[in-house]
Amino acid sequence: MEQKTMKEMSFLDHLEVLRWMLIRSTIAIVIMGTVTFFISDYIFDVILFGPTHASFITYRFFCDLSHYLGFADSICVTDMPFIIQNMDMEGQVNVLVWTCITAGFILSFPYILWEFWKFISPALYEKERKNAKLFIFVSSLLFFIGVLFGYYVVIPMSVNFFATFKVSEVVKNQFSLDSYIGMVKMSVLASGLFFELPIIIYFLTKIGLVTPTFLRKYRKIAVIIVLIVAAIVTPPDVVSQVIVAIPMLLIFEVSVIISAIVVKRQNKKEQISS
């Protein structure tokens, strides 16, 4: 049977295409998750639990930065006064499975983007469909940069803050395995998806749901939200908050610029056609 065009496809046809897109994406996640299972020791011991050690690269960077700025050891991390323990009988098994699935999603993200592009490409112009490789490359790059930002910046600051925060000296910090891994996964995925904001704004602007005027109007609110998030995930010092806030603000400003470019091109096309 010949492949139907976008206009010839019914609503059920679209659902069928979407279903197969989700199935293929799920299979890719499972395959990559299975691959990560065979290196799970390295993933847990070196990657996931790396930020629990005072020798982690981020802590050493902040300590060197503290000395360079003349703050002595004010933001140096010398100790991690907490332990991670498993509280449930099946806890470690569940954590292993879901960690492999999460790792599978991260590693297969470019393929998922390719599937998404194939799904929406029939609704795009021919010139836009030729930009598939650029779209997948840029989107994947932004996602992986966000993941690295979450791992090397957000997670260490969060771990350091919660490890040292105490309401009383009587209370000792003993975090559950599920709580710690959940925080790591949330921080990494949230950062990766947040760095996709320019791509999301691009498509929302293309379909007319967002305009640069709208983004500029609510810029102050966006700045406040970013600063609140930075204050939550970082220790209570200005240096750490600025390090987290600046990349997030830059991502927002890039999104505004992209939205303006899209609108400018659309207006130019309308003037030519008229």
Side-chain angles (χ1 to χ4, degrees):
M1 184 175 63
E2 295 183 359
Q3 186 177 4
K4 296 181 180 180
T5 64
M6 193 73 173
K7 294 182 179 179
E8 294 173 337
M9 293 175 65
S10 65
F11 176 72
L12 292 179
D13 290 330
H14 285 295
L15 287 181
E16 182 67 12
V17 173
L18 176 62
R19 184 173 75 91
W20 279 106
M21 182 197 78
L22 295 175
I23 289 175
R24 288 191 295 269
S25 298
T26 302
I27 292 174
I29 293 173
V30 171
I31 291 174
M32 296 308 298
T34 302
V35 171
T36 60
F37 172 79
F38 294 102
I39 57 172
S40 58
D41 290 343
Y42 178 83
I43 290 176
F44 278 94
D45 294 338
V46 177
I47 299 178
L48 294 181
F49 294 131
T52 65
H53 303 294
S55 59
F56 189 63
I57 184 172
T58 302
Y59 303 136
R60 288 188 278 112
F61 169 79
F62 278 113
C63 191
D64 293 339
L65 181 63
S66 177
H67 293 157
Y68 178 78
L69 296 176
F71 296 153
D73 295 334
S74 58
I75 56 176
C76 287
V77 176
T78 58
D79 185 31
M80 285 292 178
F82 71 95
I83 64 171
I84 299 175
Q85 56 184 347
N86 177 47
M87 304 294 292
D88 301 315
M89 183 173 293
E90 73 283 2
Q92 297 199 53
V93 175
N94 290 337
V95 165
L96 173 62
V97 171
W98 284 106
T99 298
C100 289
I101 291 175
T102 303
F105 172 80
I106 293 174
L107 294 176
S108 60
F109 191 76
Y111 176 79
I112 295 173
L113 285 175
W114 182 63
E115 286 288 347
F116 173 74
W117 182 265
K118 287 200 304 180
F119 178 71
I120 66 172
S121 60
L124 302 175
Y125 293 108
E126 181 64 27
K127 184 178 180 181
E128 294 173 328
R129 285 199 290 267
K130 293 180 180 179
N131 295 327
K133 292 181 180 179
L134 180 62
F135 165 76
I136 294 172
F137 173 77
V138 173
S139 299
S140 299
L141 180 63
L142 288 173
F143 178 75
F144 289 130
I145 291 175
V147 168
L148 292 175
F149 177 77
Y151 178 71
Y152 284 107
V153 179
V154 177
I155 292 175
M157 290 183 174
S158 300
V159 170
N160 179 42
F161 173 73
F162 291 117
T164 56
F165 180 82
K166 290 183 179 181
V167 294
S168 171
E169 291 298 326
V170 175
V171 183
K172 303 299 180 183
N173 285 325
Q174 297 182 358
F175 305 135
S176 69
L177 175 64
D178 183 64
S179 174
Y180 174 80
I181 297 298
M183 185 273 294
V184 171
K185 290 189 295 185
M186 181 189 69
S187 299
V188 166
L189 291 178
S191 297
L193 295 177
F194 179 80
F195 272 62
E196 291 293 298
L197 184 61
I199 304 298
I200 297 172
I201 292 298
Y202 171 82
F203 282 104
L204 292 180
T205 304
K206 289 285 290 184
I207 62 179
L209 291 180
V210 171
T211 64
T213 304
F214 172 83
L215 295 174
R216 293 189 185 106
K217 180 180 179 181
Y218 292 99
R219 177 185 275 120
K220 292 182 180 179
I221 297 177
V223 171
I224 292 173
I225 293 174
V226 167
L227 292 177
I228 292 174
V229 171
I232 292 174
V233 302
T234 60
D237 64 83
V238 177
V239 176
S240 301
Q241 293 171 8
V242 168
I243 290 175
V244 171
I246 287 179
M248 298 174 71
L249 291 174
L250 287 176
I251 288 294
F252 178 79
E253 292 301 327
V254 169
S255 301
V256 175
I257 295 172
I258 289 175
S259 180
I261 293 174
V262 172
V263 170
K264 184 178 180 179
R265 288 181 177 178
Q266 288 178 337
N267 292 338
K268 188 176 180 180
K269 288 181 180 179
E270 291 175 359
Q271 291 175 357
I272 295 175
S273 61
S274 60

